[in-house]
Amino acid sequence: MTKPMISEEDLKLSENLSKIKHVIIIMSGKGGVGKSTVSSNIAMALSMRGYQTGIMDVDITGPNIPKMFGIEDEQLDVADEKLVPVLVPPSLKVISMAFLLPSKDSAVMWRGPVKMTAIKQFIGDVVWGDLDYLVVDMPPGTGDEAISIAQLMPKADGTIIVTTPQDVALLDARKSITFSAQTKIPILGLIENMSGFVCPHCGEKTDIFRSGGGELTAKDLNIQFLGSIPIESEIVTSGDLGMPIIVNKPDSESAKSFNDIIDKIIKTVE
């Protein structure tokens, strides 16, 4: 019986994926919950701990990751017909649709099949090299990009669901959890972002969006609760400066929370 031919594209995907030890997919059920902030801080924290790390921004129509690192004006190099990701010290490689657009205001108006092609290129046509971790920053929801990643990276270590404490966000977070279960991708845990406002003057915490809903949801669905990230003005400032808060304000409550979360992620994955 003749074996099916393996395409050059599939060979590229397989070769690159074989060099990546761990793949972490960051998801959210809805927009505006701070998923890209969480993704960028997780990736940077892993890099700062000595892991060779990559972050792949697959929000094709709304790529924000380069802004989070202050590299939105960078352009991708090409080597041996492959894209070379932008390097952020100490050891973080970044790929995003934002690097391929003619201007910051350019709109990407693509249907599903074209998005799938772009994501395949982000995996197979990029010089990722040997990575300890690849963090995949997803767009909100469970649409084209999420389905593409589930098909192309079925052996990912797992998903991390980002939510905020209010009921409407938790409702959508449950859908992301269902998506992971249906695609048979493990769930590494849930993060509650914007969990209480920390006053920069007195340090008192006020639950603007309530708090604790993420932990209760995780317990209810029998998944790991990775931790809570408070609301701090420094998070906004750090993001606008292109410097994740774990670098810009390492002593902040948010940075401490991120480092606790990273401890749990590494322990769970490795």
Side-chain angles (χ1 to χ4, degrees), residues 159-223:
T159 60
I160 293 174
I161 315 298
V162 181
T163 186
T164 51
Q166 64 265 52
D167 288 344
V168 66
L170 291 167
L171 178 65
D172 289 332
R174 287 172 175 264
K175 296 173 184 176
S176 295
I177 293 167
T178 302
F179 173 87
S180 296
Q182 290 178 341
T183 54
K184 294 181 171 56
I185 298 177
I187 300 170
L188 298 178
L190 185 145
I191 293 173
E192 181 179 283
N193 194 29
M194 305 183 194
S195 181
F197 168 71
V198 178
C199 176
H201 304 293
C202 67
E204 183 178 348
K205 181 180 176 183
T206 303
D207 292 332
I208 297 175
F209 299 128
R210 301 195 305 182
S211 65
E215 187 170 8
L216 289 173
T217 298
K219 184 177 181 180
D220 182 47
L221 297 175
N222 196 30
I223 63 174

Side-chain angles (χ1 to χ4, degrees), residues 9 110-120 144-145 148:
E9 183 180 58
W110 290 353
R111 295 185 184 274
V114 185
K115 292 180 181 178
M116 176 72 154
T117 300
I119 293 171
K120 281 185 177 180
D144 294 321
E145 292 92 336
S148 297

Side-chain angles (χ1 to χ4, degrees), residues 23-75:
V23 176
I24 298 173
I25 302 169
I26 314 292
M27 299 185 67
S28 66
K30 66 186 297 295
V33 299
K35 174 185 50 56
S36 293
T37 297
V38 170
S39 297
S40 57
N41 276 278
I42 286 176
M44 179 57 80
L46 288 167
S47 176
M48 290 170 65
R49 294 189 184 202
Y51 294 102
Q52 294 298 314
T53 308
I55 182 166
M56 184 167 67
D57 182 359
V58 297
D59 193 342
I60 303 298
T61 59
N64 293 319
I65 289 297
K67 174 66 176 176
M68 299 292 181
F69 294 104
I71 54 174
E72 64 266 37
D73 294 326
E74 296 288 334
Q75 294 183 333

Side-chain angles (χ1 to χ4, degrees), residues 55-57 59 63-66 76 94-100 122:
I55 182 166
M56 184 167 67
D57 182 359
D59 193 342
N64 293 319
I65 289 297
L76 298 176
V94 184
I95 197 77
S96 172
M97 191 68 205
F99 296 135
L100 303 172
F122 280 1

